[in-house]
Amino acid sequence: MRHMHDELSTLPAPVISQDPAEYRKALSCFATGVTVVTAHWQGLDWGMTCNSFASVSLEPRLVLWSIRKAASSLEAFTQSGGFTVSVLSNQQEAIARQFASGDMASRFSGVQLQRQVSQRQRLTDAMAWFDCQLHQLVDAGDHHIVIGQVQEFGWHEDAQALGFCRSRFGRFEALSA
């Protein structure tokens, strides 16, 4: 039987640095899922790719994500009163890339969407989605943490999540027991 200590002793020495680029590399080692977050503000649809999505609370149903204060869409996401999160499947890497750059018209172009009662869009083929009212904004460094109270949600049981780790897309696989 191998002990945890034996496994740790074979790892290379950690990189210790104050360099912001090195800090980003270290953060990228944390694997996440990938989402598209949308808002509807001043009659327009807004959307962006996001991997900072997380659950906050089951009662009440709260979720969070973060947005850079320098983002061109900051006002739309913080002033519109809510947002919708679409969790992407491993078949939707192209959509993740599409919503990561370009103008809003090109981000939504050709994507199958469903307008919610809230007027926000969700991706029709998303593996899960959460339509949220804005609950709280938390000022945090160069970002705002956006907390929403889930009003409606849904999911598809047969979909597999799109993953993101070390600046690359991938998929999650279950380990054998």
Side-chain angles (χ1 to χ4, degrees):
M1 176 177 184
R2 291 179 51 168
H3 290 78
M4 180 68 100
H5 176 68
D6 295 335
E7 291 176 20
L8 291 177
S9 66
T10 62
L11 294 175
V15 174
I16 300 172
S17 174
Q18 297 301 316
D19 180 358
E22 293 297 317
Y23 180 62
R24 286 181 60 93
K25 286 180 188 176
L27 289 172
S28 78
C29 292
F30 183 69
T32 67
V34 183
T35 68
V36 166
V37 182
T38 61
H40 189 74
W41 186 61
Q42 295 185 336
L44 300 173
D45 291 314
W46 297 79
M48 62 184 287
T49 301
C50 171
N51 72 332
S52 62
F53 174 71
S55 170
V56 175
S57 168
L58 295 176
E59 191 54 47
R61 294 177 177 151
L62 298 176
V63 297
L64 69 76
W65 63 285
S66 63
I67 185 170
R68 280 182 313 112
K69 290 178 182 175
S72 61
S73 57
L74 177 69
E75 203 170 20
F77 285 107
T78 59
Q79 303 298 312
S80 65
F83 56 90
T84 298
V85 177
S86 295
V87 179
L88 302 185
S89 75
N90 63 9
Q91 303 296 311
Q92 295 177 304
E93 177 183 344
I95 291 174
R97 292 183 186 282
Q98 184 171 330
F99 274 87
S101 63
D103 62 31
M104 289 302 147
S106 65
R107 291 181 187 196
F108 285 90
S109 178
V111 178
Q112 291 185 335
L113 300 159
Q114 188 169 11
R115 187 149 321 262
Q116 304 300 111
V117 173
S118 66
Q119 293 306 303
R120 293 180 285 272
Q121 299 268 32
R122 72 172 173 90
L123 278 65
T124 302
D125 295 330
M127 67 178 288
W129 59 273
F130 305 88
D131 191 42
C132 307
Q133 277 188 306
L134 183 61
H135 178 76
Q136 184 179 0
L137 284 175
V138 178
D139 188 349
D142 60 359
H143 279 63
H144 283 297
I145 298 169
V146 185
I147 302 173
Q149 185 164 3
V150 177
Q151 303 299 302
E152 294 186 66
F153 66 96
W155 75 96
H156 298 285
E157 287 189 42
D158 56 346
Q160 300 295 319
L162 179 62
F164 193 71
C165 185
R166 293 191 170 174
S167 301
R168 294 175 35 195
F169 292 102
R171 63 177 172 214
F172 294 102
E173 293 183 20
L175 298 175
S176 57

